[in-house]
Amino acid sequence: MCTSITLKHGDSYYGRNLDLEYHFGERVVVTPRNYCFRFRKNDAVYENHLAMVGMATVVGDYPLYAEAANEKGVYVAGLYFPGNAVYSDEILPDKDNITPFELIPWLLSYSASLSDVRELLAKINIINVPFSEKMPLAGLHWHIADKESSIVVECTKDGMKVYDNPVGVLTNNPPFDFHLQNIRQYMNLSPNQPQNTFAKDIELTTFGVGMGAIGLPGDNSPASRFIKAAFLKQNAVCAEGEEGSVSEFFHILDAVASVRGSVITAEGKDDITTYSSCINGDKGIYYYKTYDNSRITAVDMHKEDLDSSELKQYALRTELDILHEN
C-alpha cells in the first residue's frame, strides 16, 4: 500500500508514503547528470541527462527508484498495483522497450515537463523483464507530475492507459478510473460546520467541530486513503515559507499512514509506513522521515556535484531522535 500526493504552495511539492512489511535497502540517492544509464532491451545509453533525487535501492551500482524528481521538477512514483498490472511479453521493434524498473530514469532523464513525459509514453512498451531472478517484478502503476498538473499511468490487460489526474493523489487498487468515480460519493463533505438540511421542522445544531466531514473514510484501504488524502490536500492551509509547506505536506501523509498492528498482511506481517517523503520540485530538496524517526531529514541535490558520474547515496536515519530538555 502507498499514497502519493502533490501540493502547490508557492513551490511545487511531491511525495508519498511507502507502506510495506519489509525494508528493501532503501536510501536517498542523487543521480548526477553524467551517470550512465543503460537499458536491458533498448540500445539507448543515457548520458548528459537531467540529474534526479529520490528514494532507491542500489543494486550493482544501479538505482532502483521507488520515487524521484529531476532538476526540472518532474516527479515519478511507482505504487503497488497487484493483480491489475500487466506488462508486455513482446519486444516491439517500433517502440522503446523499457522495463518497469527502468521507467523512472527513462522518463526523468530528459523530461522538463509533463508534455515531454507524454511524448515519451506514446513510444513506450513496458516489458515483462525482471531486474534479476532474485528480484521479480512488482505490479505497479505510476503517479507522474510537474509543476502544473499530474497524470497516472497504468498497464493492464487492455494496454497502457494514461489518465489526467486533477486530484493530484494516487493510492493502489482498484484502477484509477474507479477512484475518479468514487470521489463523487463524497461531494457533501466540508471542513466547515454543517447546516441543518435534515428536516426544516426540527431544530438541529452541531455539538462539536469537524462534523461537516462526517463520512470521511478513516481506514487504510486504498479507496479510503485516496478520499481522505484528497480531502485533506484540497483543504490544507500552509503556513508561510518552506517550513510551513513541508510541515503541512507531512501532516497530510501522516493522516493516511499505516500504524504497526493496524494492517496485517495475508502472511501475518505488519504493513507499516516505512518512510514518508516530500520533494520540493523547484529547489530539488528531498525531505523524508521514517517510521521510527519522525525527525525530518533533508538532502539538497544542488549541494552535490551534479556533473559527476557517480551516484551519491545517503543511508536513512531510522533511529528515534528525541531532544531531552532536562
Side-chain angles (χ1 to χ4, degrees):
M1 300 196 307
C2 300
T3 305
S4 174
I5 65 173
T6 66
L7 185 68
K8 183 75 174 179
H9 183 247
D11 289 345
S12 298
Y13 298 87
Y14 325 106
R16 59 102 60 83
N17 285 341
L18 191 134
D19 305 329
L20 206 57
E21 67 272 23
Y22 59 88
H23 290 278
F24 54 95
E26 64 269 29
R27 55 189 53 222
V28 181
V29 178
V30 177
T31 299
R33 299 175 186 124
N34 290 305
Y35 172 86
C36 183
F37 278 113
R38 299 182 186 275
F39 302 92
R40 292 293 177 87
K41 301 296 181 180
N42 193 294
D43 293 333
V45 177
Y46 274 14
E47 295 177 300
N48 297 314
H49 51 74
L50 295 169
M52 60 196 75
V53 61
M55 191 72 76
T57 181
V58 178
V59 181
D61 197 44
Y62 192 95
L64 298 168
Y65 278 112
E67 84 279 347
N70 67 21
E71 57 186 298
K72 297 295 185 180
V74 179
Y75 162 80
V76 185
L79 284 76
Y80 200 36
F81 193 48
N84 283 309
V86 176
Y87 308 128
S88 174
D89 290 323
E90 295 185 71
I91 304 298
L92 301 179
D94 60 339
K95 292 283 188 177
D96 293 320
N97 296 285
I98 302 300
T99 71
F101 63 84
E102 295 169 334
L103 184 64
I104 290 179
W106 182 267
L107 295 178
L108 292 184
S109 288
Y110 295 108
S111 294
S113 67
L114 268 187
S115 177
D116 294 336
V117 169
R118 288 180 186 273
E119 289 185 14
L120 290 172
L121 288 172
K123 304 173 186 177
I124 280 180
N125 177 39
I126 299 183
I127 53 176
N128 190 25
V129 175
F131 185 81
S132 69
E133 291 184 359
K134 295 181 179 180
M135 299 179 67
L137 290 176
L140 301 174
H141 58 176
W142 292 269
H143 188 191
I144 307 175
D146 66 5
K147 300 173 185 180
E148 304 299 328
S149 59
S150 71
I151 60 175
V152 170
V153 175
E154 295 181 342
C155 293
T156 68
K157 62 181 182 179
D158 298 321
M160 179 189 289
K161 297 183 179 180
V162 179
Y163 298 97
D164 290 326
N165 184 354
V167 185
V169 173
L170 184 63
T171 54
N172 313 100
N173 285 321
F176 186 65
D177 54 355
F178 165 86
H179 294 291
L180 288 180
Q181 294 299 320
N182 185 50
I183 198 171
R184 296 164 65 182
Q185 298 189 88
Y186 299 90
M187 293 170 56
N188 62 303
L189 300 188
S190 170
N192 301 313
Q193 292 294 84
Q195 301 299 311
N196 176 21
T197 59
F198 182 84
K200 62 181 180 180
D201 296 328
I202 305 175
E203 184 177 345
L204 298 174
T205 59
T206 60
F207 51 78
V209 297
M211 295 179 67
I214 289 178
L216 181 66
D219 62 85
N220 286 98
S221 68
S224 293
R225 283 183 285 109
F226 186 97
I227 297 301
K228 189 170 186 181
F231 179 83
L232 295 176
K233 172 198 160 173
Q234 293 297 324
N235 293 290
V237 178
C238 299
E240 291 302 314
E242 178 76 351
E243 290 78 10
S245 300
V246 172
S247 175
E248 199 70 16
F249 197 98
F250 279 109
H251 277 299
I252 296 169
L253 291 178
D254 285 344
V256 291
S258 293
V259 175
R260 182 175 284 120
S262 65
V263 180
I264 310 297
T265 69
E267 295 74 29
K269 297 181 179 180
D270 293 312
D271 190 274
I272 64 171
T273 298
T274 59
Y275 72 83
S276 303
S277 65
C278 170
I279 309 172
N280 182 320
D282 294 80
K283 294 183 172 66
I285 303 174
Y286 185 96
Y287 301 93
Y288 77 89
K289 62 179 184 175
T290 62
Y291 189 88
D292 291 312
N293 183 12
S294 294
R295 182 174 183 175
I296 296 172
T297 300
V299 174
D300 186 340
M301 69 186 297
H302 292 290
K303 291 184 178 180
E304 304 297 338
D305 178 8
L306 294 186
D307 290 319
S308 169
S309 61
E310 297 182 359
L311 301 175
K312 181 69 175 182
Q313 305 179 43
Y314 290 90
L316 297 196
R317 298 179 181 270
T318 58
E319 294 185 3
L320 185 62
D321 186 353
I322 300 176
L323 175 63
H324 294 275
E325 290 283 15
N326 55 22

